[in-house]
Amino acid sequence: MYRAVNRRGGAPLKALHTAWATVRRVAAALSAGSYDLVFLQRECLPFGAPWLERALHRRGVPLIFDYDDALFLFKPNPHTPLADAFKRPHRLLEIFRLADCVLAGNEWLRARAGEHCADARTFHVAEDLQRHTPRTTPRDRSSVVLGWLGSPSTEKYLDLIREPLRALSRKHAGLRLRIVGGGRFADAQIAVEHVPWDLDTELAQLHDFDIGLMPLPLEEWSLGKSGGKARTYMAMGLPAVCTGIGFNCELIRDGETGFLVRESQDWHQVLERLIESPGLRKRVGTAARQAVEERFSLQQQGPRFVEILREVAARGRSH
């Protein structure tokens, strides 16, 4: 279904996948009344009114709603325009009101949810630092790899730094841009390598990055981002260069654990420094890994998460 949705065309196949997934989701929701707690990771369904959430609420089961994107803002679907007709982003506001607790990926998202839910909390996504580990052997090459990890829906943001990448490619022979999980970005002036995302090969691809990229548009949608891409780079001991907007500014200490940039010339200047200085890449990457260990480790966030689940479940039973 994921592969089909992220391709243009094929409406009948997409509709069939969507119908079958909807049946499975409805069945799961209808069986939830026997549980002590329901944890909703985003909406029950990606379209229409929140009628499944309403049904769960009527059953009296405590609900936790977890989200880490500005889902209440309309965002066009670049691959399936027809799906836009079924989107109801403002239904998120009703889901906030139905939830006993909302967990938000950053403070801006928490504030939006807090306007409708009495118990809205910021809860940062954890990183599995036993899985995401820095490369232990030196890279045997003279070229530098600029890496981007993501999905087809966000690959378009690389267009924002196309000109800096072109200029750097003209100056640095062998410079490569490796895109993991995209597939569309192309430029005759940039050596672009596309690699499909796969759980089994993700770590090997990240280990081959020298610098991690996270460009974002300067718009409200970006305020809802929770820094997942940058945090993964940091966990791998890589210097991350990110647009200085929203949670990125809280996540990264500019020049110490990563770099925050906004203008095209700033992207060029920072990437130039990193390309020319392996020592700087090493120093910033090491500090970035340490910052993630201190704030976002699974060992820290896991017990906190369990505590929230137990608290909300117990509160629901007492009612």
Side-chain angles (χ1 to χ4, degrees):
M1 179 176 183
Y2 182 80
R3 288 192 299 270
V5 167
N6 284 292
R7 289 195 299 264
R8 290 188 180 275
L13 178 60
K14 292 176 181 178
L16 183 63
H17 276 302
T18 300
W20 177 231
T22 300
V23 169
R24 296 199 309 270
R25 182 56 52 87
V26 170
L30 292 177
S31 69
S34 61
Y35 290 86
D36 297 310
L37 178 74
V38 172
F39 181 83
L40 303 176
Q41 196 166 38
R42 300 180 61 137
E43 318 99 309
C44 285
L45 296 172
F47 51 80
W51 60 276
L52 282 181
E53 288 87 350
R54 293 172 190 165
L56 290 169
H57 180 75
R58 284 194 295 269
R59 290 185 170 212
V61 184
L63 304 177
I64 293 181
F65 180 72
D66 175 85
Y67 81 127
D68 63 354
D69 260 323
L71 304 176
F72 43 79
L73 299 177
F74 177 77
K75 198 73 171 175
N77 188 314
H79 305 293
T80 312
L82 182 61
D84 292 342
F86 298 94
K87 289 184 177 180
R88 300 289 186 273
H90 289 293
R91 69 206 169 110
L92 262 290
L93 308 184
E94 182 178 349
I95 294 175
F96 293 154
R97 290 190 288 269
L98 294 170
D100 294 272
C101 177
V102 173
L103 299 183
N106 67 41
E107 180 61 21
W108 186 80
L109 293 174
R110 185 212 62 78
R112 303 289 80 74
E115 296 169 0
H116 306 275
C117 178
D119 186 5
R121 316 181 191 190
T122 300
F123 189 83
H124 298 302
V125 179
E127 290 295 326
D128 186 351
L129 297 177
Q130 294 181 342
R131 179 174 185 268
H132 290 108
T133 57
R135 184 185 176 102
T136 56
T137 56
R139 292 171 175 79
D140 184 21
R141 62 162 184 266
S142 58
S143 62
V144 173
V145 173
L146 306 178
W148 182 90
L149 174 72
S151 66
S153 64
T154 55
E155 185 186 19
K156 60 189 176 186
Y157 298 146
L158 287 169
D159 288 328
L160 300 170
I161 58 172
R162 187 182 293 271
E163 288 306 320
L165 293 177
R166 285 176 172 176
L168 291 166
S169 296
R170 288 193 294 268
K171 181 175 180 181
H172 298 278
L175 182 69
R176 290 178 286 159
L177 171 63
R178 180 168 300 168
I179 299 173
V180 180
R184 293 184 177 274
F185 184 88
D187 195 298
Q189 300 181 42
I190 305 169
V192 181
E193 300 174 356
H194 281 285
V195 180
W197 181 86
D198 186 274
L199 183 64
D200 294 332
T201 61
E202 178 192 51
L203 295 181
Q205 295 301 331
L206 286 166
H207 279 151
D208 210 36
F209 288 5
D210 291 296
I211 302 164
L213 305 176
M214 187 183 177
L216 288 173
L218 298 175
E219 61 185 32
E220 191 176 24
W221 176 265
S222 299
L223 296 176
K225 293 296 181 182
S226 302
K229 200 186 312 293
R231 197 162 40 224
T232 297
Y233 299 149
M234 295 167 72
M236 301 296 294
L238 294 168
V241 185
C242 309
T243 299
I245 187 172
F247 182 69
N248 285 352
C249 298
E250 179 185 336
L251 173 64
I252 290 173
R253 298 194 304 272
D254 189 28
E256 298 179 27
T257 61
F259 295 89
L260 299 170
V261 294
R262 291 173 76 94
E263 305 298 332
S264 181
Q265 62 267 26
D266 297 329
W267 278 95
H268 185 282
Q269 182 181 39
V270 168
L271 290 174
E272 178 80 28
R273 287 176 57 201
L274 288 167
I275 290 168
E276 294 185 343
S277 177
L280 178 61
R281 299 199 298 268
K282 177 67 174 176
R283 175 176 63 79
V284 173
T286 299
R289 168 74 184 192
Q290 183 178 349
V292 173
E293 290 174 350
E294 292 171 354
R295 298 177 60 192
F296 305 108
S297 73
L298 190 61
Q299 288 70 26
Q300 287 182 332
Q301 294 295 79
R304 294 173 185 169
F305 180 63
V306 171
E307 183 180 344
I308 293 172
L309 297 183
R310 288 176 172 165
E311 175 195 335
V312 177
R315 193 169 67 204
R317 286 196 299 269
S318 67
H319 293 169

